[in-house]
Amino acid sequence: MPNHQNSANGWSKPSDQRTTGKVITCKAAVVWGPGQPFVMEQVQVDPPQKLEVRIKILFTSICHTDLSAWQGENEAQQAFPRILGHEASGIVESVGEGVKDMKEGDHVVPIFNGECGDCKCCKSEKTNICHNFGVNPFKKVMNNDGKSRFSTKDGKPIYHFLNTSTFSEYTVLESACVVKIDPEAPLKKMTLLSCGVSTGVGAAWNTANVQAASTVAIFGLGAVGLAAAEGARARGASRIIGVDINPNKFIKGQAMGVTDFINPSEPGKPLHERIREITDGGVDYSFECVGNLDVLREAFLSTHEGWGFTVVLGIHPTPKMLPLHPMELFHGRGIIGSVFGGFKGKSQLPHFAQECMHGVVDLDKFITHELPFEKINDAFQLLIEGKSLRCVLQL
């Protein structure tokens, strides 16, 4: 499928080569088994069905969730062959029956945590969970008919991933998982709003509601942790303590507002005691971005008695339970998990995109590498080696 360029979008679809209603053959990075290299394949992408959208992906980036799924860390969630990827931006190629809020040519970002607008959760202001299209790592087909919209050239199904599957030149999503954004927004940067930056910044703004002059500790300075730091900085936090075993992360962290750095691998008192000592009893907010229960306990105990608040952002594959005794909650500390930073994707993300365009959050700082789509295996290696925050692939 040839690309057709224009100055505004980087892509356009001439009227004499319409693809609406037709199967599109395009390039995708397919993974055939856990840990196996991504293979560039010619795949077939079906037209969107009722309340579905087919989009042309222009940029996609790689998150640790993609890495975990690729490595097959959770055996129950494995499904191969599969097209991974959930951070991206692109342009609507066509829409299925009943889609009213977007049309061909619109600039969009996919979201793994959808918003149908109709379920009890979507109608509540208290949550961004969606009963119908919320994040579901076990889901591998579309809701409409229980089938995939991807197939090999000989017709064998290729499975979907996290409502999105963005490692493909074209993908089909439920419309609840597609967000229309300002056509003037730079799509390369908007890619980061699909997951990492929205998750971290939103955790600081929506879930914790960080206040000006408050103190914050962030455990794990990957992209999500640094986004939480950026969110706390934007809210006027007076002190942001970054905790990571990689001292190089502090250099990057300083640009995001991190004021202090603690390396937990260095000998000394328990981590929470060190943090309490330098913050007069503990921080107001802590963010656990690692997915490690020992770290989670340290994050919880590093907050101040009476009002300390811990937000869990790390993915915890262990079957073990929370490392807390119920009586510890009587000291007034609170703890909560956060999905997609508490943002309701379709109704709230467009405004967040506007704020990013106006410089409230600097997205440029998160893009450390850029590669062509064909170099996707190299991009994963950069993440494995801890060299990249976000590597953006151009399709």
Side-chain angles (χ1 to χ4, degrees):
M1 184 73 191
N3 289 338
H4 304 281
Q5 303 292 322
N6 69 21
S7 58
N9 302 335
W11 175 81
S12 65
K13 185 171 63 173
S15 59
D16 62 342
Q17 294 193 28
R18 295 194 63 84
T19 51
T20 302
K22 301 177 182 178
V23 173
I24 290 177
T25 300
C26 70
K27 185 165 52 181
V30 179
V31 60
W32 291 89
Q36 293 184 18
F38 288 85
V39 180
M40 287 293 164
E41 304 273 10
Q42 290 294 311
V43 302
Q44 295 182 324
V45 185
D46 290 341
Q49 294 190 13
K50 185 178 181 180
L51 295 178
E52 295 176 358
V53 180
R54 187 163 62 183
I55 64 177
K56 163 66 176 170
I57 299 292
L58 296 183
F59 299 96
T60 187
S61 51
I62 298 170
C63 168
H64 265 283
T65 304
D66 298 310
L67 178 62
S68 298
W70 170 61
Q71 292 173 332
E73 290 182 359
N74 188 317
E75 188 172 339
Q77 296 173 6
Q78 290 182 16
F80 299 102
R82 201 170 206 175
I83 295 175
L84 301 178
H86 64 287
E87 279 193 353
S89 60
I91 297 171
V92 174
E93 177 272 337
S94 60
V95 300
E97 176 191 345
V99 177
K100 306 295 186 185
D101 62 336
M102 67 193 87
K103 62 185 184 306
E104 176 188 329
D106 283 344
H107 285 205
V108 293
V109 294
I111 49 172
F112 64 88
N113 188 56
E115 182 186 356
C116 72
D118 297 321
C119 70
K120 188 174 182 180
C121 287
C122 282
K123 290 179 179 179
S124 170
E125 294 181 355
K126 296 180 179 180
T127 183
N128 69 332
I129 298 298
C130 174
H131 176 74
N132 294 317
F133 299 102
V135 56
N136 180 2
F138 296 96
K139 181 180 175 181
K140 57 185 179 179
V141 291
M142 304 299 282
N143 281 19
N144 265 335
D145 57 2
K147 296 180 180 179
S148 175
R149 301 292 174 263
F150 299 110
S151 59
T152 62
K153 286 192 290 185
D154 56 1
K156 295 179 180 178
I158 302 172
Y159 294 116
H160 293 256
F161 175 67
L162 283 185
N163 291 324
T164 48
S165 291
T166 62
F167 293 163
S168 175
E169 290 181 321
Y170 288 86
T171 186
V172 176
L173 306 88
E174 279 102 359
S175 61
C177 299
V178 185
V179 179
K180 179 181 175 181
I181 59 171
D182 189 331
E184 298 301 317
L187 283 174
K188 181 170 70 175
K189 296 180 186 181
M190 293 299 107
T191 297
L192 305 185
L193 302 192
S194 282
C195 179
V197 169
S198 297
T199 297
V201 173
W205 290 3
N206 305 322
T207 311
N209 191 20
V210 170
Q211 301 295 302
S214 60
T215 55
V216 173
I218 297 171
F219 293 74
L221 298 180
V224 170
L226 290 174
E230 178 77 359
R233 179 204 60 75
R235 279 290 180 91
S238 63
R239 195 167 190 179
I240 302 173
I241 302 167
V243 180
D244 204 289
I245 58 174
N246 182 354
N248 294 328
K249 294 291 184 68
F250 185 46
I251 300 170
K252 194 69 179 176
Q254 286 177 307
M256 315 288 189
V258 175
T259 58
D260 303 77
F261 180 77
I262 296 178
N263 188 336
S265 63
E266 294 176 354
K269 294 181 179 180
L271 189 54
H272 69 272
E273 291 185 15
R274 284 188 260 176
I275 292 175
R276 285 189 197 176
E277 284 182 359
I278 64 174
T279 56
D280 190 26
V283 293
D284 301 307
Y285 310 95
S286 69
F287 298 85
E288 190 278 324
C289 310
V290 179
N292 179 290
L293 287 178
D294 294 331
V295 175
L296 176 56
R297 178 164 179 80
E298 291 297 317
F300 178 76
L301 294 175
S302 72
T303 63
H304 203 289
E305 285 189 3
W307 63 80
F309 194 64
T310 298
V311 179
V312 183
L313 294 167
I315 302 299
H316 290 258
T318 174
K320 295 180 180 178
M321 298 297 176
L322 278 174
L324 307 174
H325 191 281
M327 296 305 296
E328 290 180 304
L329 297 173
F330 283 83
H331 294 293
R333 297 184 177 96
I335 184 169
I336 194 170
S338 179
V339 174
F340 198 49
F343 280 115
K344 285 181 178 286
K346 289 180 77 73
S347 54
Q348 296 178 340
L349 210 61
H351 177 65
F352 181 44
Q354 289 280 352
E355 290 184 292
C356 292
M357 290 174 67
H358 295 145
V360 177
V361 173
D362 185 357
L363 298 177
D364 283 318
K365 292 183 292 191
F366 292 90
I367 301 175
T368 55
H369 297 78
E370 297 181 46
L371 290 172
F373 184 40
E374 292 77 12
K375 297 285 188 181
I376 188 170
N377 287 298
D378 295 342
F380 267 82
Q381 194 59 37
L382 287 169
L383 188 62
I384 291 169
E385 295 172 0
K387 294 179 179 178
S388 66
L389 285 179
R390 279 298 182 265
C391 179
V392 175
L393 303 172
Q394 183 167 1
L395 281 77

